[in-house]
């Protein structure tokens, strides 16, 4: 053998030799070369002479063309791609496969998210809170003595104290357990001395005492004294004592885990048939309960705590190939049909008393299997003597030859394979192990709950198959084992017109699924059922159903009573499957009900708070507002005393979550009942000696009051500061931190006033920032940051310089929270008057840019925001160029997120300060930087777009030299294959069009216009919308005459785009068409405008109001351009459609056409249309008149007499809507003609309006009151008072109510004018009513 190379040269020489040897070897013809191997998707090159096909080099060019142009691309063969080293599936496919392995739900994105699904772990703690029982109301029944056992304040405080003590002890135990010093202390010696009754689990003398199992709870097993253990259980091979590992395994008596009893053959010994586990001592009994020993062990669930050795898995026959059962109590109550072990025992022991097929009880025709004393053939196993089929057949150890014949080849193969595997994997006996190991080894105990899975349920051949000449040959469909008596879940509540139940609602509304005779129910049950129905309608019903149920539950709230209502509403609100909308509705119910119940709600205040307080920390703003609203109403209903006594125990609750939500709720109570009423309580809480938690929560309440109420705290500022000031020197770190944060909140709310209230805390704050580190320091800095802006200029300057030393030190802190606070404080200090710009430049900026302007800050969104704001604030003090000079080079940074942060800062600085102090060098750098940043972005973001637009607009005329380059970039990006890039380029044109006009680059804009016109065929609606927006911007600045392409070509191209259903496209297109109709209608033929009119009708259906408004205005412009008649005909025709929104928009359009083209062009046609005997059309005409008179104002005086007959007819119509719309039209008409002498017509119309005074429809009532209000203005209050006087003292209350309502409205509107209209009442003997001063004539 050659000597191994040692030196570097030897190694090199050996490599060279091997390479030379390989090169000299002849090439093996059979192995294709690397580049000649066949790809997966191409034909080979081996057998072309047999199969035909191309030569290897066919289709390749043999020379390179000297000319540049590609002459005949079409004729060339498609290129062969370079060969891949390996073949793999597309990435999307692989991801799909990966997804399918997980629990992937394809519909998950379309599901309505529940409240629970978006909660953080902290917010989810609300579900752990208990809805406490109702509490005592000390004010009820005139404050009578409470009954014994009622839960008052004292009891709850005791409970709370007990909980606190328990938590304390648990904490101490946990700490001791950690140290290893935890010992069990015998506190009950006397009890120990008492003689102990021998229980079933107790060991006999000969058994090892160390293995005695702990006795489970009495509720679980009934205790029974037992005779000594008989060896009824099969021994695990090699174990000494049969019962020693499984205490009590063979105890007779009715236990939870007893086997199903069976008839034992008379005269049989107890030990006979001991191979079948668990059957030795079973006494005959009528019970047919399921046997828990027969279940297959479920390994995916944890074992119960009392498992001990009772869980030892045991195979029945060590020699068996197929192990039938593993006697184990399943840890889970759930049973799966696939996991069950077939009950037939392999040895077919006569004593085997389990019903065959314990897995599927319905398969056993008789309750008790007949036991054949002689070891009968397997087919005799089942009581009826039928051949076992399916699962029962699988329990049999050895199929007979007849069965073998029935097997398919696949089953035979599986059977052979399984036999071999079983042979190889059979469990080793203790003897085997003794042979293998040298002496000295001992058998170890398996861990508690260890369960090997060795059951036929896991076997291949255990698929139910027919065997042994069963009637169905070949394929056999398994009979369904559903219990026929079991009903399918019925989710339709009984009772008329109730919505469906969702499955998760069943636990709350299950009583509604039962049809009961409501006559037979007790009043309480009936009340409960009624509330349940109403709540179900509110939660799951249609909007009208919900509305009426909500009104009914509100009206009857006092009748139902607080208890029944809240006992049903509150658990619903705690449901984990609640959706946002459902929660909103239930909260609405509570709100309405509270208003009605008023002080009856007192015993339930805590219940309601437990459910509503979590809303105060919800991420949804509206949920927080709703929560505040409810707690505020609750406080007003229950009163301060009840609120304090209810919430006081939660202030020092051991759970931080409860304290946090309680603090927020207290702040809401303070805002509802006034801060002064809560101050004495807060003072006491904040000075609590007993627990620091109470002090912490008290101070947090002050902080939350400041956050919630803002400047409303100013009158009480000094008192609030005095209450919490001692917290700055508290011994608890958490209390000091929250005090500093509370002071920061108070200062922020008081800005810019109130510095004198904070005099007492300045010194401790100042000391604090020198003595604290970490979170504590952050809070103290925050407080000082908010106090400095309140100070006078010279103090602010001094304090800023002092605090800046610590801030600069903290610039390098790695803690994200600290960074945010430091940035905020720097921003506040720099914005204060007393701080000079020079000081900021010299002392702050160098450190600021060094520590904060780095990539890491760009990654965290909140830091990013704060850094940009602080930088802009500094720029406001030291000037734009100072900051931009430091930032401009970073526009070319390699990190995109960082570039965005730089761009946003520059955009905000230039947006605020302009570009006056940007010199020419900086201007070049800026343009260069923004072009680079704009072109290099990988994700198209609005930040870059806004930045580019703002900078170009700020530089204005100075951009002229760079415009060709900018436009070149835009045109290049307009042609990009990515839709987002094209969209952004088009958006940029609309941002800079005004600057291009300022720079007189009309030619360039014309070129852009043509390019955009060519791109109107864009397929992506978002991009098309942006292109239309860019065209609109160009049309706006360049004007109609100079526009290229000319308007006559552009508009016909826009007409089909109006059909596009995308909102952005619709909005931009209609704006552009409207602009053309307004400015250059003459460039387009009247026929084209009419075509556009028809398209516009469709746009009136749009969801977005801006689109509908632009459409309606465009009708006005078109009517102005081509005359109103054709347009009006189109619009009047549109009044016949069914859709309300469409008709309403049409009526507005008619009114606008009338306004732009004078009413006389429209009114004749409109009034003629009223003759059509169709409700929709007539209502449309009336609505048009209403809008028309609103728009034309005082021009109405010329048309009032023309329309009076029409309005008369409408006001006499039976249809409510006719009268309602006519009233609206009269209101606008009366307001328009006030002072123009049309009183006669108005009085005439008033006589038709007045009879509607007693209508009850809310809409008509409102329209009537509006019409009367209009008449009050036009005719004067006295005329209306004369109509009103007759009913003010009518004997019927319904009449009086309405008349007084009208009178009150008159009084509010014309109080002084009414004086002279009051009736004259002559003096009588006692009183003098005459007002003589009214008779003075000058």
């Amino acid at each position: 053998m050659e000597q191994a190379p040692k030196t570097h040269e030897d190694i090199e020489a050996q490599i060279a030799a091997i390479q030379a040897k390989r090169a000299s070897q002849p090439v093996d013809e059979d192995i294709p070369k690397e580049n000649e191997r066949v790809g997966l998707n191409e034909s080979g090159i081996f057998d072309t002479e047999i199969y035909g096909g191309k030569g290897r080099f066919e289709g390749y060019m043999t020379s390179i063309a000297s000319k540049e142009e590609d002459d005949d691309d079409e004729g060339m063969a498609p290129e062969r791609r370079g060969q891949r080293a390996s073949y793999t599936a597309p990435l999307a496919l692989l991801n799909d496969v990966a997804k399918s392995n997980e629990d992937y739900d394809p519909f998950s994105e379309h599901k309505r998210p529940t409240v629970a699904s978006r909660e953080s772990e902290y917010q989810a703690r609300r579900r752990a809170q208990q809805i406490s029982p109702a509490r005592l109301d000390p004010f009820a029944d005139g404050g009578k003595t409470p009954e014994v056992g009622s839960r008052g304040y004292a009891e709850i405080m005791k409970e709370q104290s007990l909980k606190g003590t328990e938590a304390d002890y648990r904490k101490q135990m946990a700490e001791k357990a950690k140290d290893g010093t935890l010992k069990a202390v015998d506190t009950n010696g006397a009890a120990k001395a008492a003689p102990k009754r021998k229980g079933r689990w107790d060991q006999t003398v000969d058994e090892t005492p160390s293995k005695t199992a702990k006795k489970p709870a009495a509720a679980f097993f009934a205790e029974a004294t037992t005779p000594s253990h008989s060896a009824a259980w099969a021994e695990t091979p090699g174990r000494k004592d049969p019962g020693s590992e499984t205490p009590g395994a063979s105890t007779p008596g009715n236990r939870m885990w007893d086997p199903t009893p069976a008839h034992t053959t008379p005269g049989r010994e107890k030990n006979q048939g001991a191979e079948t586990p668990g059957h030795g001592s079973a006494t005959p009994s009528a019970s047919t309960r399921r046997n828990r020993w027969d279940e297959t062990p479920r390994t995916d669930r944890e074992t119960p705590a009392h498992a001990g050795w009772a869980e030892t898995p045991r195979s029945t026959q060590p020699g068996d190939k197929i192990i039938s059962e593993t006697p184990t109590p399943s840890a889970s109550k759930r049973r799966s049909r696939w996991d069950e072990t077939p009950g037939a025992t392999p040895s077919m022991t006569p004593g085997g008393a389990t019903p065959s097929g314990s897995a599927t009880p319905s398969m056993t025709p008789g309750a008790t299997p007949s036991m054949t004393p002689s070891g009968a053939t397997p087919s005799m196993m089942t009581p009826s003597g039928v051949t076992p089929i399916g699962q029962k057949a699988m329990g049999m150890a050895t199929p007979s030859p007849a069965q073998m014949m029935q097997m398919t080849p696949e089953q035979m193969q599986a059977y052979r394979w399984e036999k071999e595997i079983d042979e190889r994997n059979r469990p080793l006996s203790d003897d085997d192990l003794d042979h293998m190991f040298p002496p000295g080894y001992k058998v170890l105990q398996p861990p508690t709950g260890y369960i090997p899975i060795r059951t036929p349920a896991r076997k291949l051949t255990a698929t139910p198959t027919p065997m042994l000449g069963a009637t169905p040959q070949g394929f056999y469909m398994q009979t369904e084992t559903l219990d026929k008596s079991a009903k399918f879940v019925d989710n339709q509540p009984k009772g008329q017109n109730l919505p469906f139940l969702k499955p998760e609602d069943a636990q709350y509304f299950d009583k509604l699924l039962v049809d009961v005779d409501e006559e037979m129910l007790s009043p309480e049950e009936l009340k409960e059922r009624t509330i349940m129905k109403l709540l179900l309608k509110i939660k799951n019903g249609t909007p009208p159903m919900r509305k009426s149920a909500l009104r009914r539950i509100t009206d009857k709230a006092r009748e139902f009573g607080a208890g029944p209502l809240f006992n049903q509403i509150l658990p619903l609100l705690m449901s984990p499957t609640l959706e946002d909308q459902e929660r909103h509705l239930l909260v609405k119910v509570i709100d309405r009900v509270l208003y009605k119940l008023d002080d009856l709600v007192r015993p339930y205040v805590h219940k309601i708070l437990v459910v509503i307080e979590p809303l105060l920390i919800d991420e949804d703003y509206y949920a927080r507002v709703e929560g505040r609203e409810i707690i505020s109403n609750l406080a007003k209903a229950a009163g301060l005393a009840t609120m304090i006594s209810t919430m006081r125990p939660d202030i020092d609750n051991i759970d931080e979550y409860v304290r946090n939500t309680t603090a927020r709720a207290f702040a809401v109570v303070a805002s509802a009942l006034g801060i002064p009423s809560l101050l004495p309580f807060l003072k006491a809480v904040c000075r609590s000696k007993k627990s620091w938690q109470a002090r912490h929560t008290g101070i947090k309440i002050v902080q939350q009051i400041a956050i919630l109420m803002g400047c409303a705290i100013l009158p009480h500022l000094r008192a609030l500061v005095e209450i919490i000031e001692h917290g700055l020197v508290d011994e608890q770190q958490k209390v000091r931190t929250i005090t500093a944060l509370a002071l920061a909140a108070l200062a922020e709310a008081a800005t810019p006033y109130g510095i004198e209230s904070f005099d007492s805390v300045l010194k401790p704050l100042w000391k604090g920032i020198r003595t604290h580190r970490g979170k504590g320091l952050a809070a103290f800095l925050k407080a000082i940051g908010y106090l400095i802006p309140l100070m006078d200029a010279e103090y602010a300057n001094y304090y800023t310089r002092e605090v800046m030393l610590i801030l600069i030190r903290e610039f390098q802190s790695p803690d994200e929270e600290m960074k945010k606070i430091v940035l905020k404080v720097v921003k506040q200090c720099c914005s204060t008057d007393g701080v000079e710009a020079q000081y900021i430049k010299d002392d702050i900026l160098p450190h600021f840019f060094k520590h904060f302007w780095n990539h890491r800050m760009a990654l965290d969104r909140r830091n990013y925001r704060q850094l940009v704001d602080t930088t802009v604030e500094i720029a406001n003090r030291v000037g734009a160029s100072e900051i931009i000079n430091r930032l401009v080079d970073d526009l070319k940074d390699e990190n995109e997120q960082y570039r965005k942060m730089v761009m946003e800062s520059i955009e905000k600085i230039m947006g605020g300060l302009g570009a006056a102090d940007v010199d020419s060098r900086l201007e070049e750098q800026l343009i260069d930087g923004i072009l680079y940043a704009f072109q290099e972005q990988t994700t198209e973001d609005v930040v870059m777009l806004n930045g580019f637009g703002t900078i170009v607009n700020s530089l204005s005329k100075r951009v002229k030299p760079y415009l060709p380059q900018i436009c070149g970039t835009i045109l290049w990006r307009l042609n990009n294959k990515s839709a987002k890039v094209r969209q952004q380029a088009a958006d940029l044109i609309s941002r800079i069009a005004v600057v291009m006009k300022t720079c007189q680059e009309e030619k360039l804009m014309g070129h852009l216009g043509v390019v955009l016109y060519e791109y109107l065929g864009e397929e992506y609606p978002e991009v098309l919308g942006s292109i239309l927006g860019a065209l609109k911007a160009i049309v706006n600045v360049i004007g109609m005459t100079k526009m290229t392409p000319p308007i006559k070509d552009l508009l016909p191209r826009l007409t089909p785009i109006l059909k596009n259903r995308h909102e952005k496209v619709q909005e931009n297109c209609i704006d552009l068409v409207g602009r053309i109709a307004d400015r250059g209608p003459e460039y387009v033929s009247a026929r084209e405008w009419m075509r556009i009119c028809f398209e516009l009708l469709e746009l009136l259906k749009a969801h977005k109001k801006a689109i509908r408004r632009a459409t309606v205005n465009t009708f006005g412009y078109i009517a102005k351009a081509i005359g109103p008649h054709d347009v009006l005909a189109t619009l009047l025709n549109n009044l016949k459609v069914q859709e309300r929104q469409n008709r309403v928009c049409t009526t507005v359009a008619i009114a606008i056409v009338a306004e732009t083209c004078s009413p006389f062009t429209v009114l004749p046609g409109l009034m003629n249309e009223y003759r059509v005997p169709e409700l929709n059309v007539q209502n449309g005409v009336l609505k048009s008149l209403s809008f028309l008179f609103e728009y034309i104002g005082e021009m109405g005086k010329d048309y009032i007499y023309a329309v009076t007959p029409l309005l008369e007819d409408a006001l006499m119509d039976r249809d409510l809507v006719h009268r309602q719309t006519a009233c609206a039209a009269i209101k606008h008409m009366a307001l328009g003609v006030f002072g123009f002498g049309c009183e006669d017509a108005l009085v005439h119309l008033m006589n038709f309006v007045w009879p509607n005074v007693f209508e009850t429809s809310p809409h008509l009532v409102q329209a009537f009151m509006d019409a009367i209000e209009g008449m009050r203005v036009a005719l004067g209050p006295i005329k209306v008072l004369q109509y009103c006087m007759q009913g003010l003292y009518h004997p019927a209350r319904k009449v009086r109510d309405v008349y007084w309502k009208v009178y009150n409205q008159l009084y509010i509107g014309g109080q002084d004018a009414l004086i002279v209209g009051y009736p004259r009442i002559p003096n009588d003997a006692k009183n003098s009513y005459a007002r003589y001063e009214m008779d003075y004539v000058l």
Side-chain angles (χ1 to χ4, degrees), residues 348-391:
M348 304 307 157
T349 317
T354 323
S356 64
S358 70
T360 324
S362 61
M363 275 184 153
T364 318
T368 321
S370 62
M371 297 314 308
T372 345
S374 60
T377 47
S379 65
M380 297 299 288
M381 203 28 212
T382 34
S384 57
V386 181
T387 312
I389 279 178
Q391 278 187 318

Side-chain angles (χ1 to χ4, degrees), residues 1270-1284:
M1271 294 296 189
R1272 176 185 64 75
V1273 173
L1275 297 174
I1278 296 176
K1279 182 56 85 178
V1280 184
L1281 180 68
Q1282 288 166 349
Y1283 279 85
C1284 186

Side-chain angles (χ1 to χ4, degrees), residues 852-870:
F852 286 120
W853 276 95
N854 53 40
H855 291 175
R856 191 156 157 227
M857 290 297 281
L859 298 176
D860 180 15
R861 189 73 204 153
R862 276 158 64 198
N863 279 347
Y864 170 120
R865 224 4 345 102
Q866 192 62 59
L867 179 57
V868 170
D869 291 348
T870 305

Side-chain angles (χ1 to χ4, degrees), residues 1025-1042:
S1026 293
I1027 288 171
L1028 288 165
L1031 269 172
K1032 183 174 70 182
I1034 291 175
V1035 168
N1036 278 348
V1037 295
I1038 206 172
M1040 298 292 155
T1041 45
K1042 296 181 184 169

Side-chain angles (χ1 to χ4, degrees), residues 468-756:
L468 198 64
T471 331
Q473 291 292 318
F475 178 73
Y476 167 70
M477 187 171 282
Q478 197 177 4
T479 53
E480 274 205 59
T481 56
L482 282 175
D483 181 6
K484 294 289 180 266
S485 63
K487 295 246 172 58
F488 288 103
V489 180
D490 176 16
N491 60 356
Q492 175 58 55
K494 307 296 174 278
Q496 75 286 10
N497 200 17
L498 285 177
F500 270 108
L501 271 190
K502 297 179 185 172
E504 59 266 24
D505 290 341
Q507 55 177 320
Y508 305 108
F509 298 109
D510 52 352
K511 290 185 180 173
L512 293 181
L513 293 172
V514 185
D515 208 356
V516 292
D517 181 9
E518 297 194 349
E519 307 282 317
M520 308 299 289
L521 295 177
S522 70
E524 290 308 310
E525 285 170 332
L526 185 62
K527 196 183 287 182
E528 182 193 16
R529 194 174 170 86
T530 313
I531 294 172
M532 211 176 269
K533 279 183 187 172
L534 292 172
L535 285 177
L536 182 62
K537 283 181 180 177
I538 290 168
K539 188 173 179 291
N540 294 354
T542 57
M545 199 186 278
R546 188 187 304 151
K547 205 171 178 182
S548 68
L550 196 56
R551 187 173 295 156
R552 189 152 167 242
I553 208 167
T554 313
D555 292 342
K556 288 194 158 191
R558 282 187 92 86
E559 189 184 311
F560 287 141
L565 277 169
F566 290 125
N567 289 341
Q568 290 199 47
I569 298 171
L570 300 180
L572 267 174
L573 270 165
M574 296 290 266
S575 161
T577 53
L578 205 64
E579 292 165 13
D580 279 314
Q581 167 71 353
E582 293 172 343
R583 178 176 70 178
H584 162 73
L585 293 168
L586 291 170
V587 167
K588 201 170 177 181
V589 174
I590 292 186
D591 201 18
R592 302 262 181 100
V593 161
L594 273 184
Y595 183 71
K596 282 283 188 196
L597 289 173
D598 207 39
D599 57 346
L600 293 181
V601 83
R602 283 185 187 136
Y604 304 94
V605 168
H606 192 261
K607 279 187 172 197
I608 296 169
L609 285 175
V610 166
V611 176
I612 298 297
E613 277 175 358
L615 292 181
L616 298 177
I617 55 170
D618 199 278
E619 61 192 31
D620 178 19
Y621 169 75
Y622 294 102
R624 296 199 299 273
V625 170
E626 271 179 343
R628 281 181 214 142
E629 189 72 22
I630 293 242
I631 292 174
S632 164
N633 289 348
L634 185 62
K636 287 170 189 161
L640 180 68
T642 305
M643 295 306 286
I644 288 181
S645 63
T646 308
M647 294 163 79
R648 166 64 189 88
D650 290 340
I651 278 181
D652 49 4
N653 192 297
I654 41 177
D655 186 358
E656 189 277 330
Y657 173 86
V658 176
R659 298 201 303 273
N660 178 13
T661 50
T662 304
R664 288 162 193 270
F666 253 121
V668 179
V669 172
S671 75
L673 303 179
I675 297 177
S677 56
L678 218 63
L679 282 178
F681 171 72
L682 280 178
K683 196 168 196 168
V685 171
C686 293
R687 295 191 179 277
S688 166
K689 294 272 191 299
K690 208 164 62 174
S691 73
W692 69 265
Q693 283 101 333
R695 295 198 297 276
H696 182 277
T697 312
I699 294 166
K700 188 165 197 157
I701 292 171
V702 174
Q703 180 205 21
Q704 292 299 328
I705 288 175
I707 291 169
L708 183 66
M709 299 186 65
C711 62
I713 58 151
L714 274 170
H716 321 287
L717 185 57
R718 190 181 289 277
L720 288 169
V721 172
E722 280 168 5
I723 284 174
I724 63 171
E725 63 187 3
H726 66 273
L728 289 174
V729 291
D730 197 278
E731 71 271 8
Q732 270 287 340
Q733 169 65 47
K734 281 186 174 172
V735 177
R736 295 201 293 272
T737 305
I738 193 71
T739 309
L741 291 173
L743 287 168
L746 285 169
E748 184 180 12
T751 309
Y753 308 106
I755 185 61
E756 57 284 348

